[in-house]
Amino acid sequence: MFYVQSAMPKKRKGANLSRRTINSRARLDERVQRSSEQIQKVNADASRGMSQLRELRSQEARDERNQQRQLERRETRRFIVDGRRGIDQQRQQVHRAFTSNLFLRLAFQYEPDVEYYNHSKVVIGTLEKECPRCHALKFKNEPVGMCCSSGKIQLTEIETPPEPLHGLLIGTDPDSSLFLKSIRTFNSCFQMTSFGATEIVNNTAANGQQFNSTFKIKGQVYHKVGSLLPMPNEPHKFLQIYFMGGEDSERALANRVDARCDYHNLNSPFARRIVSELDALLNEHNELLKFFKSHMPKLQSDNHAIVINPDRTPAGEHVRRFNAPVVDDVAGIMVGDRTATRQIVIRRRNNDLQFISDTHRSYDALQYPLIFWKGQDGYCVNIKQRDPVTE
């Protein structure tokens, strides 16, 4: 026998629509009949419940953040403590070496807080010993011939610089205090060559920052010079800044001042005024700059260069006798011509830097233009000698 089970009809969607509508209407009526106190209580309860829910959810994240911060503080504290411990150990070593009279290479472990002058064996003294020949001031135990080789070397007298450089140096200029405080920075603004060394040693503070209590280097010191003009889309640097604008107009001067001050972070109007006045002074008095600018139009292409020859012993003179430098021993030449090792070759435009021999007569004038403001010769192997007995 077969039984057939008829399928039940599907429940119509929305069959209890009227019941839901009645319930919704009842809840709506109930809300309408609430008083303001009841509404505030319901809202406060809802807000409190939401806050508790948020607090419960964020507690775990907050605990994780706090734990991470504690780890960071511990690492920072450990770094500071380790740094201070290392500095203290180094200072203790310096103190032990200083108090036990072990002065071997002690200058390479210089510490600014060590009172070296209080040691019984350290007597620096004052510059009260005067050379009877060149009148240089020296310390008591310095060698007799270290200044002028006991009168054999006749040094050129240093000329008094023009204003405003003279006033800035002796303290009579209103901006002298700022200038003397940052004199290295101001000299760097006008350097024609870059300064380099095998290694420049920096001190490290407890917070990890580097500083220089004294300027310490290791290895060789050297200077490099580039071309007169920069490569396309490259900024002007060092000697190239003197040729910004192409002429000595007010606009060209402003461009040079902007380049020097921006590169060395000299933002005050007083510093900019000093840079502007010194730029005009050097362009007026520095013979090297005058020579470069007078020969610049002759360099018709980037293959041309200016060569500054070093001092040479004239033919017929004894090889061991030094002679006065030849003032006009400079020439414009073509790149590719044969040049000596010690000659300074300044090309019109290229991307190479040339090392300058430290025995070249223009070595100091290119690097320290505020000292050699006239572009005069510095130390060279051919400084004129004389016989102190007969002269």
Side-chain angles (χ1 to χ4, degrees):
M1 174 178 277
F2 297 94
Y3 294 93
V4 179
Q5 182 178 2
S6 60
M8 296 293 293
K10 293 183 179 180
K11 188 175 183 181
R12 279 191 310 111
K13 186 177 181 181
N16 60 345
L17 184 61
S18 60
R19 185 180 302 171
R20 292 181 179 176
T21 304
I22 293 174
N23 293 338
S24 299
R25 191 171 299 160
R27 286 195 296 271
L28 180 61
D29 294 339
E30 181 182 357
R31 284 197 297 269
V32 170
Q33 294 176 0
R34 291 176 184 172
S35 62
S36 58
E37 291 79 5
Q38 292 175 334
I39 294 175
Q40 292 179 359
K41 183 177 181 304
V42 171
N43 291 339
D45 293 341
S47 178
R48 191 180 304 108
M50 186 61 67
S51 299
Q52 293 175 354
L53 180 61
R54 288 200 189 103
E55 184 177 359
L56 182 63
R57 289 178 178 177
S58 62
Q59 183 64 38
E60 187 174 336
R62 189 181 298 110
D63 293 341
E64 184 178 355
R65 284 198 304 270
N66 291 336
Q67 186 177 5
Q68 183 66 26
R69 290 174 181 173
Q70 289 178 359
L71 291 176
E72 291 176 356
R73 283 195 292 267
R74 290 175 184 172
E75 290 295 330
T76 303
R77 193 179 300 111
R78 185 181 298 110
F79 175 79
I80 294 175
V81 170
D82 291 344
R84 289 177 178 174
R85 184 180 293 113
I87 293 175
D88 290 340
Q89 290 177 354
Q90 182 179 1
R91 288 176 178 172
Q92 290 173 6
Q93 292 176 359
V94 173
H95 276 285
R96 284 195 295 269
F98 185 55
T99 55
S100 62
N101 295 339
L102 297 177
F103 293 101
L104 181 61
R105 301 181 65 83
L106 187 60
F108 294 95
Q109 304 176 13
Y110 174 82
E111 287 294 335
D113 59 341
V114 177
E115 298 177 350
Y116 297 93
Y117 54 85
N118 285 335
H119 197 280
S120 59
K121 298 295 184 181
V122 177
V123 181
I124 299 176
T126 58
L127 290 168
E128 55 186 16
K129 182 180 179 181
E130 181 178 347
C131 175
R133 301 188 182 277
C134 68
H135 306 289
L137 296 178
K138 298 182 292 183
F139 292 106
K140 179 180 178 180
N141 294 324
E142 286 186 306
V144 177
M146 69 170 298
C147 50
C148 62
S149 189
S150 300
K152 295 180 182 178
I153 302 296
Q154 185 175 11
L155 301 177
T156 304
E157 294 186 4
I158 299 177
E159 298 183 37
T160 301
E163 297 294 344
L165 180 57
H166 182 244
L168 291 170
L169 290 172
I170 66 175
T172 58
D173 191 278
D175 297 326
S176 180
S177 177
L178 173 62
F179 175 77
L180 295 176
K181 183 179 179 180
S182 305
I183 191 169
R184 278 179 52 191
T185 302
F186 283 107
N187 182 78
S188 299
C189 288
F190 300 98
Q191 286 175 346
M192 305 178 205
T193 56
S194 61
F195 173 88
T198 305
E199 181 182 355
I200 299 177
V201 183
N202 292 319
N203 297 326
T204 304
N207 58 2
Q209 294 182 351
Q210 292 186 338
F211 68 96
N212 277 341
S213 57
T214 56
F215 188 70
K216 297 182 290 186
I217 61 173
K218 292 181 179 179
Q220 181 184 5
V221 175
Y222 53 83
H223 295 164
K224 292 182 178 180
V225 64
S227 58
L228 296 175
L229 298 178
M231 299 297 290
N233 301 322
E234 291 290 332
H236 291 70
K237 299 178 181 178
F238 298 101
L239 180 59
Q240 299 167 355
I241 298 179
Y242 288 95
F243 294 91
M244 290 183 66
E247 70 285 339
D248 294 329
S249 62
E250 293 185 3
R251 183 58 185 171
L253 175 61
N255 291 337
R256 294 196 298 268
V257 172
D258 290 340
R260 301 186 197 279
C261 293
D262 293 344
Y263 187 78
H264 295 279
N265 297 321
L266 295 173
N267 302 319
S268 70
F270 308 103
R272 294 181 64 86
R273 181 171 64 233
I274 294 175
V275 172
S276 177
E277 293 174 348
L278 293 179
D279 185 281
L281 182 148
L282 292 177
N283 277 278
E284 179 182 356
H285 295 282
N286 192 286
E287 296 299 330
L288 281 175
L289 288 178
K290 290 181 181 180
F291 182 84
F292 293 152
K293 292 193 174 185
S294 65
H295 279 69
M296 185 65 174
K298 302 177 183 179
L299 305 180
Q300 301 176 1
S301 70
D302 294 344
N303 293 326
H304 287 77
I306 295 176
V307 173
I308 306 177
N309 293 324
D311 301 332
R312 293 174 296 190
T313 302
E317 293 289 347
H318 194 277
V319 293
R320 295 187 180 276
R321 177 175 175 79
F322 294 162
N323 295 274
V326 182
V327 178
D328 298 327
D329 196 7
V330 186
I333 68 165
M334 293 283 293
V335 172
D337 289 356
R338 185 176 180 180
T339 58
T341 305
R342 291 178 56 243
Q343 290 180 339
I344 299 177
V345 182
I346 304 179
R347 294 174 174 82
R348 183 176 184 270
R349 190 198 308 268
N350 71 350
N351 203 23
D352 297 329
L353 295 176
Q354 180 203 358
F355 281 91
I356 301 179
S357 172
D358 56 359
T359 58
H360 196 286
R361 57 190 171 96
S362 297
Y363 181 86
D364 293 323
L366 293 171
Q367 182 68 20
Y368 307 104
L370 296 187
I371 300 177
F372 301 89
W373 55 272
K374 206 173 181 178
Q376 60 267 46
D377 294 342
Y379 167 81
C380 60
V381 295
N382 290 347
I383 293 179
K384 182 178 180 180
Q385 283 195 349
R386 64 176 184 174
D387 186 356
V389 177
T390 60
E391 297 185 15

